[in-house]
Amino acid sequence: TQLLEQSPQFLSIQEGENLTVYCNSSSVFSSLQWYRQEPGEGPVLLVTVVTGGEVKKLKRLTFQFGDARKDSSLHITAAQPGDTGLYLCAGARVHSNSGYALNFGKGTSLLVTP
Amino acid sequence: GAVVSQHPSRVICKSGTSVKIECRSLDFQATTMFWYRQFPKQSLMLMATSNEGSKATYEQGVEKDKFLINHASLTLSTLTVTSAHPEDSSFYICSAPDRGRTEAFFGQGTRLTVV
């Protein structure tokens, strides 16, 4: 069951533009994570946000976690072709005795053209 | 950082045959590993949870007799797609949670094509 709604699903922009990707849920997660995935590879963790209202920056990427810990956004400033990829948000939930399992959003496929 | 290695990275098999995919944690022990399936330009869907020394737990709608999971050691989980059909063609990814944390480390994925 997809508990996370991600938008937009597809985004094509030119180099230098800014963009924001949204991740919304009706559930509260222990943490929310953002991953980036390139074709034919596994996802790579970008950031984890845990505290409501938290803001984290990773170079040109800014991540925000909503006060209620149900939604998050990823903002990219001055996008570059190297930012092209599938961006996935994932909510961590307790999974029996196994620690945490991740529920993924549908992903945002970003294409940045020169 | 911890690394999860998945093998093979791609495999082509004939319809009706079985394919085994391996997922190894290289520098840490993983009592739990997760198996995901991903269709083109779509997100990862959790298929099953692999538990070392016990039976795997499957998500609703996933056939346990078709997707056999074995977690025989603390560093190895395998997924066997039995009697594969073209509709099983997909990208399969394993992950192992970072112990005590909510993050996970992902394998490189396996592109399965059934012809």
Side-chain angles (χ1 to χ4, degrees):
Chain A
T1 303
Q2 290 283 4
L3 302 177
L4 289 160
E5 294 292 331
Q6 212 173 317
S7 62
Q9 275 192 269
F10 301 97
L11 191 55
S12 180
I13 61 173
Q14 289 194 315
E15 183 176 3
E17 292 185 31
N18 302 332
L19 67 116
T20 302
V21 176
Y22 299 93
C23 180
N24 298 294
S25 172
S26 57
S27 304
V28 176
F29 291 98
S30 302
S31 74
L32 201 142
Q33 302 160 29
W34 285 92
Y35 291 82
R36 179 168 162 236
Q37 183 183 24
E38 301 203 23
E41 299 182 12
V44 175
L45 179 68
L46 295 174
V47 79
T48 301
V49 285
V50 178
T51 306
E54 185 174 4
V55 177
K56 282 192 174 179
K57 291 194 174 184
L58 185 65
K59 296 184 180 178
R60 293 175 294 100
L61 278 60
T62 302
F63 304 86
Q64 288 189 309
F65 201 16
D67 291 339
R69 294 167 59 219
K70 294 182 179 180
D71 55 88
S72 180
S73 65
L74 158 61
H75 182 79
I76 302 180
T77 304
Q80 299 177 0
D83 295 327
T84 294
L86 181 66
Y87 289 82
L88 297 156
C89 67
R93 56 180 173 85
V94 176
H95 190 275
S96 64
N97 297 323
S98 311
Y100 295 93
L102 296 176
N103 280 104
F104 282 87
K106 289 188 175 182
T108 295
S109 182
L110 172 65
L111 173 64
V112 183
T113 54
Chain B
V3 177
V4 173
S5 177
Q6 195 172 333
H7 178 80
S9 58
R10 56 181 66 230
V11 58
I12 301 173
C13 71
K14 290 186 177 179
S15 187
T17 62
S18 295
V19 174
K20 181 186 284 189
I21 302 170
E22 293 186 346
C23 182
R24 294 181 184 273
S25 56
L26 297 185
D27 56 359
F28 68 107
Q29 293 181 335
T31 56
T32 300
M33 289 187 179
F34 298 101
W35 287 94
Y36 295 85
R37 181 173 180 175
Q38 185 179 33
F39 290 105
K41 295 194 183 297
Q42 294 189 25
S43 189
L44 283 71
M45 295 298 294
L46 180 64
M47 297 175 64
T49 303
S50 172
N51 303 298
E52 188 270 335
S54 64
K55 290 183 179 180
T57 55
Y58 291 81
E59 296 299 301
Q60 192 172 8
V62 178
E63 298 176 60
K64 61 180 181 181
D65 294 330
K66 181 164 189 63
F67 298 100
L68 299 180
I69 289 174
N70 185 280
H71 197 146
S73 76
L74 288 170
T75 59
L76 174 64
S77 174
T78 61
L79 168 68
T80 301
V81 183
T82 63
S83 187
H85 291 285
E87 56 265 31
D88 298 324
S89 298
S90 188
F91 193 55
Y92 293 87
I93 308 175
C94 68
S95 78
D98 191 0
R99 180 167 289 183
R101 297 166 58 89
T102 60
E103 292 85 349
F105 300 103
F106 286 84
Q108 305 95 318
T110 297
R111 169 72 59 195
L112 170 63
T113 303
V114 184
V115 296

